[in-house]
Amino acid sequence: MKWKRSERLVDMTHYLLEHPHQLIPLTYFAELYNSAKSSISEDLAIVKGTFEERGIGELVTVPGASGGVKYIPTVSDDEVRETIQILISELSKSDRLLPGGYLFMTDLLGNPELMNRVGKVFASIFKDQQIDAIMTVATKGISIAHSIARHLNVPVVVVRRDSKVTEGSTVSINYVSGSSRRIQTMVLSKRSMKSGQRVLITDDFMKVGGTMNGMKNLLEEFDCTLGGIAVLVEAEHAGETLVDDYYSLVKLHSVNEKERTIQLSEGNYFSKERL
Amino acid sequence: MKWKRSERLVDMTHYLLEHPHQLIPLTYFAELYNSAKSSISEDLAIVKGTFEERGIGELVTVPGASGGVKYIPTVSDDEVRETIQILISELSKSDRLLPGGYLFMTDLLGNPELMNRVGKVFASIFKDQQIDAIMTVATKGISIAHSIARHLNVPVVVVRRDSKVTEGSTVSINYVSGSSRRIQTMVLSKRSMKSGQRVLITDDFMKVGGTMNGMKNLLEEFDCTLGGIAVLVEAEHAGETLVDDYYSLVKLHSVNEKERTIQLSEGNYFSKERL
């Protein structure tokens, strides 16, 4: 069967979107569509142009015999601003205020379209860096971690608070929770992570950074290195933050439980210097 | 700016794939691309043909003033078989055997490409049914739940074992864990789920079905109804299963800790009658 260009474009777009950060040899498409490589190159030029024009992502062509094409998800600054605005407008709703000044955000973390956006934003920041895995701590950061992972095509590693029989042998560390100053435990299955990896850690919320710092220490136990830190919401607080090189989308300044108001602003996404 | 058909096809494919189960009015595309509705209809016919030919999904056209087009993710039987084969070949590796006869599967649940496939398979089963949310219990089922949710465009609701201050007020139930016959607790934040919803429940593993049954009971507390049950791996066991109307991809028959062998087969996906 001979494919028409229009059909090839639709199928190719789907295939590329489903395989981010993977080098696809031109011969793969040429054989699949029974078309000349020159036609495939012309197709890819159209896809590339449209992806760039519409802010879908980059299409990188690697020349040579072992070359091919790679789709790199990216987001435009406008899309990041829109995502941040959605988050701020959602999070400032006064009925999110919980006793103790906490903010209810579980529904946002369960919203697949919003999480898809958030994951693409963070994946876009780290697109040119070597990231081998995404690490988070159960439970709330898992949806963010998976969305980043999907856009970077790397596995997710979930740290737990307790060890479970289905995890096999584990490595456990103690760390000091930043805000409550309590000693807590973090557990990771030995089989979950190979040594020598460069790992991006993520969570939904960060105040002093105790949990993030705990994950950093856990990375060392696995002979892995920190590739970056991505936080959905960081909270302002007195004193020093335990980690400094992080990206956040939203910053929580203060809550007033009596007036039921929540002060939020843009996180450091646009103000932080890029590596 | 006037768009060429080739560019429209690429952008439209991306947009449709990112908005599954959402009705998109033809005017949306007509205005975006500054094109006549008749041209958009022709474009969509090409997308539809290619999506069907390649097993990407269905493109349903709703006629009339309030009509539009909707992308419904589906998978071909061949793709389901391939997914099941990947799962079986991975899960039969003897180094997955843990003390007590448990199987290590955490790495598979952290693999974004595999989870994407699994989620699409389950979303495909329930594509014509009213599903308002996906429910799972922390931690291991979360990646499956999110992948199904993304393909059905509905939120994820995560049940916990313990209540947390960031969840606000909660509803808690006790249930009997099927295999260990122990009383366990399940907690869901009141704000996590509205009443009157039809909910698909999912988990990575099911033996007697105690956890699934617990989630079913929790649904009743929220005046919600069961929309279906999706399990990655079901385990054979003596006696009755507490839930019967479920779909599974893989069935675990037995493990032999001494010989280090694992007996697996296809789950009930192909043998179960469709609703």
Side-chain angles (χ1 to χ4, degrees):
Chain A
M1 177 196 158
K2 186 99 179 145
W3 289 60
K4 288 186 197 141
R5 163 148 295 158
S6 54
E7 294 161 344
R8 291 198 306 258
L9 287 172
V10 170
D11 191 59
M12 233 176 220
T13 300
H14 170 256
Y15 191 87
L16 289 164
L17 292 172
E18 291 277 290
H19 296 84
H21 284 273
Q22 286 178 55
L23 188 68
I24 301 146
L26 259 55
T27 45
Y28 173 81
F29 290 126
E31 282 167 20
L32 178 62
Y33 305 133
N34 193 18
S35 304
K37 270 198 187 181
S38 56
S39 308
I40 300 297
S41 291
E42 286 166 34
D43 296 345
L44 288 169
I46 296 168
V47 176
K48 184 184 167 76
T50 311
F51 274 24
E52 283 170 6
E53 175 71 32
R54 294 286 289 155
I56 296 168
E58 296 164 9
L59 216 59
V60 179
T61 316
V62 180
S66 63
V69 63
K70 199 191 272 189
Y71 159 57
I72 313 285
T74 61
V75 286
S76 63
D77 281 357
D78 280 351
E79 204 182 324
V80 179
R81 275 194 195 94
E82 199 184 65
T83 306
I84 291 175
Q85 276 320 308
I86 294 171
L87 287 166
I88 290 181
S89 103
E90 272 293 338
L91 289 170
S92 34
K93 289 179 182 163
S94 62
D95 60 359
R96 293 195 173 273
L97 258 178
L98 297 173
Y102 292 96
L103 277 194
F104 183 78
M105 350 198 299
T106 309
D107 59 329
L108 302 182
L109 301 170
N111 177 323
E113 199 171 332
L114 184 60
M115 285 305 104
N116 186 42
R117 275 170 170 267
V118 167
K120 200 177 178 191
V121 169
F122 286 132
S124 186
I125 297 178
F126 297 96
K127 71 184 169 65
D128 296 323
Q129 293 180 53
Q130 179 65 33
I131 298 290
D132 305 305
I134 315 291
M135 178 189 266
T136 190
V137 67
T139 307
K140 301 236 296 274
I142 297 178
S143 58
I144 302 174
H146 268 277
S147 182
I148 303 174
R150 198 160 41 78
H151 288 106
L152 287 179
N153 185 38
V154 296
V156 171
V157 171
V158 178
V159 177
R160 305 176 63 107
R161 303 285 181 186
D162 53 347
S163 72
K164 249 195 118 177
V165 65
T166 49
E167 298 288 317
S169 52
T170 55
V171 172
S172 144
I173 61 153
N174 293 316
Y175 70 101
V176 180
S177 149
S179 359
S180 64
R181 308 292 308 161
R182 273 184 312 166
I183 300 281
Q184 302 209 21
T185 306
M186 238 179 221
V187 175
L188 183 59
S189 159
K190 273 193 182 172
R191 298 163 190 244
S192 284
M193 206 163 55
K194 292 189 206 98
S195 65
Q197 308 229 67
R198 207 160 170 270
V199 180
L200 172 62
I201 62 181
T202 188
D203 210 351
D204 61 315
F205 191 82
M206 179 177 90
K207 201 167 180 177
V208 181
T211 306
M212 290 297 189
N213 209 30
M215 284 197 269
K216 260 178 79 175
N217 295 342
L218 199 51
L219 286 182
E220 285 166 27
E221 294 292 328
F222 280 80
D223 291 319
C224 289
T225 52
L226 182 67
I229 302 176
V231 186
L232 190 66
V233 180
E234 62 163 315
E236 205 169 70
H237 58 94
E240 227 179 325
T241 305
L242 296 172
V243 293
D244 34 39
D245 196 20
Y246 62 87
Y247 288 89
S248 69
L249 294 189
V250 175
K251 185 162 189 168
L252 172 65
H253 295 278
S254 62
V255 300
N256 185 322
E257 283 189 76
K258 205 173 147 196
E259 311 268 345
R260 299 196 69 72
T261 52
I262 302 161
Q263 296 295 326
L264 296 152
S265 72
E266 201 175 278
N268 73 0
Y269 178 91
F270 286 109
S271 54
K272 187 173 153 58
E273 243 179 278
R274 291 305 148 86
L275 299 167
Chain B
M1 175 197 159
K2 187 98 181 147
W3 289 58
K4 288 187 196 137
R5 163 149 295 156
S6 54
E7 295 162 341
R8 292 198 307 259
L9 287 172
V10 171
D11 191 58
M12 231 177 221
T13 300
H14 170 257
Y15 191 88
L16 289 163
L17 292 172
E18 290 278 291
H19 297 85
H21 283 273
Q22 287 177 53
L23 189 68
I24 301 147
L26 259 54
T27 45
Y28 172 81
F29 289 126
E31 283 167 19
L32 178 62
Y33 305 133
N34 192 17
S35 304
K37 271 200 187 180
S38 57
S39 306
I40 299 297
S41 291
E42 286 166 32
D43 296 344
L44 288 169
I46 296 168
V47 177
K48 184 185 165 75
T50 312
F51 274 24
E52 284 169 6
E53 175 71 31
R54 293 286 290 155
I56 297 169
E58 297 165 9
L59 217 60
V60 179
T61 315
V62 179
S66 62
V69 63
K70 200 191 270 188
Y71 160 57
I72 313 284
T74 61
V75 285
S76 64
D77 281 356
D78 280 351
E79 205 183 324
V80 179
R81 275 195 196 94
E82 200 184 64
T83 306
I84 291 174
Q85 276 320 308
I86 294 171
L87 287 165
I88 290 180
S89 103
E90 272 293 338
L91 289 169
S92 32
K93 290 180 181 162
S94 62
D95 59 1
R96 293 194 174 273
L97 258 177
L98 298 172
Y102 293 96
L103 276 195
F104 183 78
M105 350 198 299
T106 309
D107 58 329
L108 302 181
L109 302 169
N111 178 322
E113 198 171 331
L114 184 61
M115 284 306 104
N116 187 43
R117 277 170 169 266
V118 167
K120 200 176 178 191
V121 169
F122 286 132
S124 187
I125 297 178
F126 296 96
K127 70 184 169 66
D128 296 324
Q129 292 181 53
Q130 180 65 33
I131 299 290
D132 305 304
I134 315 290
M135 179 188 265
T136 190
V137 66
T139 307
K140 301 233 298 273
I142 297 179
S143 58
I144 302 173
H146 268 277
S147 182
I148 303 174
R150 198 160 42 79
H151 287 107
L152 286 179
N153 184 37
V154 296
V156 171
V157 172
V158 178
V159 177
R160 305 175 63 106
R161 302 285 181 186
D162 53 348
S163 72
K164 248 196 118 176
V165 64
T166 50
E167 297 290 315
S169 52
T170 55
V171 173
S172 145
I173 62 153
N174 294 315
Y175 70 101
V176 180
S177 149
S179 359
S180 65
R181 307 294 307 160
R182 273 184 311 167
I183 301 281
Q184 302 209 21
T185 306
M186 238 180 222
V187 174
L188 184 59
S189 158
K190 273 194 180 171
R191 299 163 189 243
S192 284
M193 205 164 57
K194 294 189 205 97
S195 64
Q197 308 228 65
R198 207 161 171 269
V199 180
L200 172 63
I201 63 182
T202 187
D203 211 351
D204 61 316
F205 191 81
M206 180 177 91
K207 201 168 179 178
V208 181
T211 307
M212 290 296 189
N213 209 29
M215 284 196 269
K216 260 178 78 175
N217 294 341
L218 199 52
L219 285 181
E220 286 166 25
E221 294 293 326
F222 280 80
D223 290 319
C224 288
T225 52
L226 182 67
I229 302 176
V231 187
L232 189 66
V233 180
E234 63 164 313
E236 205 170 71
H237 57 95
E240 228 179 326
T241 305
L242 296 172
V243 293
D244 33 39
D245 196 20
Y246 62 87
Y247 288 89
S248 68
L249 295 189
V250 175
K251 186 161 187 167
L252 173 64
H253 294 279
S254 62
V255 299
N256 186 323
E257 285 188 75
K258 206 173 147 199
E259 311 268 342
R260 299 197 68 74
T261 52
I262 304 162
Q263 296 296 326
L264 296 152
S265 72
E266 199 176 278
N268 72 2
Y269 178 91
F270 286 110
S271 55
K272 186 173 155 58
E273 245 180 279
R274 291 304 146 87
L275 299 167

